[in-house]
Amino acid sequence: MFINYKKTIIFTTILLFILIIIYINLNSFSIKNENKNFEILFKNITWDTKLLKNIPFNNWNEIELNLLIPWDWKNNISLNKDKLKSLNIEKIIVNDKEVWLNESDFKNVDNIKIIWKSKNNWILNENDFNDIINIKEDKKEEIEIKNDIKKSLTWSININLDKYNLNSNINNLIKISWDKKYLIKYVNIWWINLTPIIDKEDIFLSIEKNTFWEWEYFIILQMIDNSIHTLDKKIFFSFSDTETNIANITPKSIKNDTDNIIVLQWNWFSKVISLQLSNNTILKNASFEIISDQVMSVKIPKNLDKWTYFFNIMTTKWIINLKNNTFIIN
């Protein structure tokens, strides 16, 4: 009886010791991974493998290491130069752009790709490369960004475009206004995904001509947290598949107490012979200057009746009444 009791105590002690060891290891693993704010994946380019966490290689195989940084971390990344020196580096690519091998500090990083030639035979393991980068976290900025995202997705998204009526016969640049505009990842119009262009404090959408047919389209936003939002207003594109058309008139409104110059954007200006102003009642010839095949300046004489006008244009092929694009004299 005493022997069995003693065996039970020994067994319990050993079991408890094993559980403590397991707990310490698990806790250590958890802490280690909690502090690791990136993911590591390898590819053996020579063998054309998939991206994997562990991968074997032979001498002089071309290896690719991918560091993926979560979107919700606003980081300054510093590469471990000592670690890089131990590798036979061929190139380093940050955010899909190749950088110099001696560069080490980067801001706002989403992904890093390091490619090198192996020097021996072995197996790559992600744990061996946890020290390849250091992440300098700006906690204040990170908290502000996360709060902005949270607030912006609970408030109404008050986004405005500087124009909602465009012509698809020319290239268009649209300015986006919103105090949280930096949270926009993509703007979707129809099936086209547009990436906003950041220019200092402003943000724009660039749309190439002939992208959209004449129609009214919903505007759908994808935010940096991948949530989807549809704007209340729609965007309208006019489009003409004829050789000659007016895409834009600037300005759209002028005074009749002085001579004015307005600028037309369209196609096929170089073939214009004569141009008339019309409001369905009067016709008046107007002098013009062809700047290029897409741009023309027109002189509008003073003392014309206050009205909405359009253009009749004679080209080398035909006479066209372009009533779809008008301007106002007031």
Side-chain angles (χ1 to χ4, degrees):
M1 182 70 177
F2 177 77
I3 294 174
N4 289 337
Y5 179 72
K6 186 175 181 181
K7 286 182 178 179
T8 301
I9 292 177
I10 293 172
F11 176 77
T12 304
T13 303
I14 293 172
L15 180 61
L16 182 60
F17 178 77
I18 292 173
L19 289 175
I20 290 173
I21 295 298
I22 292 173
Y23 174 78
I24 291 172
N25 287 333
L26 286 175
N27 191 51
S28 174
F29 177 81
S30 175
I31 291 172
K32 182 178 181 181
N33 282 274
E34 184 179 335
N35 293 328
K36 178 174 168 288
N37 300 309
F38 58 92
E39 184 177 2
I40 298 175
L41 294 170
F42 301 102
K43 178 179 181 178
N44 190 319
I45 298 175
T46 303
W47 291 87
D48 193 23
T49 67
K50 297 179 180 180
L51 291 173
L52 301 167
K53 291 184 178 294
N54 301 283
I55 197 166
F57 61 87
N58 299 125
N59 192 21
W60 297 111
N61 281 176
E62 193 171 29
I63 306 298
E64 176 183 296
L65 180 148
N66 291 268
L67 299 166
L68 307 177
I69 314 298
W71 71 268
D72 55 344
W73 288 86
K74 190 79 168 177
N75 297 311
N76 294 332
I77 302 298
S78 176
L79 289 174
N80 185 334
K81 290 185 177 181
D82 292 333
K83 192 79 173 182
L84 294 179
K85 288 178 182 178
S86 67
L87 305 173
N88 189 16
I89 299 292
E90 290 188 333
K91 65 175 66 173
I92 299 174
I93 301 171
V94 177
N95 287 350
D96 302 321
K97 181 180 179 181
E98 188 170 352
V99 299
W100 295 102
L101 297 182
N102 60 352
E103 292 184 64
S104 59
D105 296 321
F106 309 98
K107 293 183 178 180
N108 303 324
V109 175
D110 296 316
N111 60 82
I112 296 178
K113 188 179 293 184
I114 302 172
I115 299 174
W116 74 89
K117 286 281 184 68
S118 60
K119 298 178 180 179
N120 49 27
N121 304 326
W122 198 243
I123 296 175
L124 291 173
N125 187 299
E126 64 169 339
N127 293 330
D128 297 332
F129 285 85
N130 284 341
D131 59 346
I132 191 71
I133 63 172
N134 297 313
I135 298 180
K136 305 171 187 177
E137 298 151 5
D138 187 340
K139 292 296 183 182
K140 181 180 179 181
E141 186 175 8
E142 174 198 337
I143 292 170
E144 288 176 353
I145 291 288
K146 288 186 176 181
N147 287 338
D148 279 346
I149 293 172
K150 185 176 180 180
K151 290 178 182 178
S152 67
L153 300 181
T154 54
W155 299 340
S156 60
I157 298 180
N158 186 26
I159 291 179
N160 286 305
L161 309 182
D162 65 340
K163 42 186 173 284
Y164 291 89
N165 291 285
L166 301 106
N167 190 293
S168 198
N169 293 105
I170 60 173
N171 296 329
N172 290 279
L173 194 65
I174 306 171
K175 185 177 179 180
I176 300 175
S177 299
W178 184 35
D179 57 346
K180 310 295 182 187
K181 53 184 175 284
Y182 56 86
L183 298 177
I184 302 172
K185 186 176 183 181
Y186 299 114
V187 177
N188 180 276
I189 301 175
W190 193 26
W191 53 273
I192 304 294
N193 265 339
L194 303 169
T195 302
I197 301 169
I198 299 174
D199 180 23
K200 297 180 181 178
E201 298 300 319
D202 295 322
I203 185 169
F204 299 91
L205 290 179
S206 177
I207 303 176
E208 293 185 3
K209 66 180 182 179
N210 303 329
T211 300
F212 296 101
W213 290 99
E214 184 163 321
W215 197 258
E216 190 175 44
Y217 299 90
F218 286 102
I219 306 170
I220 300 172
L221 305 178
Q222 182 178 348
M223 314 305 281
I224 60 174
D225 70 337
N226 292 324
S227 62
I228 303 297
H229 302 268
T230 303
L231 297 189
D232 294 334
K233 292 184 180 180
K234 297 179 183 178
I235 191 167
F236 177 78
F237 285 91
S238 58
F239 176 75
S240 174
D241 56 2
T242 61
E243 278 188 306
T244 305
N245 56 77
I246 291 180
N248 193 37
I249 301 175
T250 308
K252 299 284 286 186
S253 177
I254 59 176
K255 299 291 185 181
N256 73 342
D257 57 356
T258 184
D259 291 346
N260 290 274
I261 299 295
I262 64 175
V263 176
L264 310 184
Q265 288 176 272
W266 82 334
N267 298 318
W268 232 53
F269 275 156
S270 61
K271 307 300 180 182
V272 173
I273 296 173
S274 180
L275 183 146
Q276 291 180 331
L277 302 179
S278 177
N279 61 7
N280 285 325
T281 304
I282 67 168
L283 291 173
K284 184 173 181 63
N285 289 337
S287 59
F288 60 90
E289 180 183 354
I290 297 173
I291 299 172
S292 72
D293 197 37
Q294 288 79 41
V295 181
M296 171 193 290
S297 65
V298 180
K299 182 178 180 180
I300 309 298
K302 64 181 179 180
N303 298 326
L304 285 178
D305 291 343
K306 296 181 179 181
W307 207 269
T308 299
Y309 290 82
F310 60 90
F311 288 98
N312 295 325
I313 295 179
M314 178 186 289
T315 71
T316 55
K317 286 188 175 182
W318 49 62
I319 295 176
I320 311 152
N321 299 316
L322 297 171
K323 296 183 178 181
N324 65 317
N325 215 318
T326 61
F327 71 98
I328 298 172
I329 297 179
N330 51 39

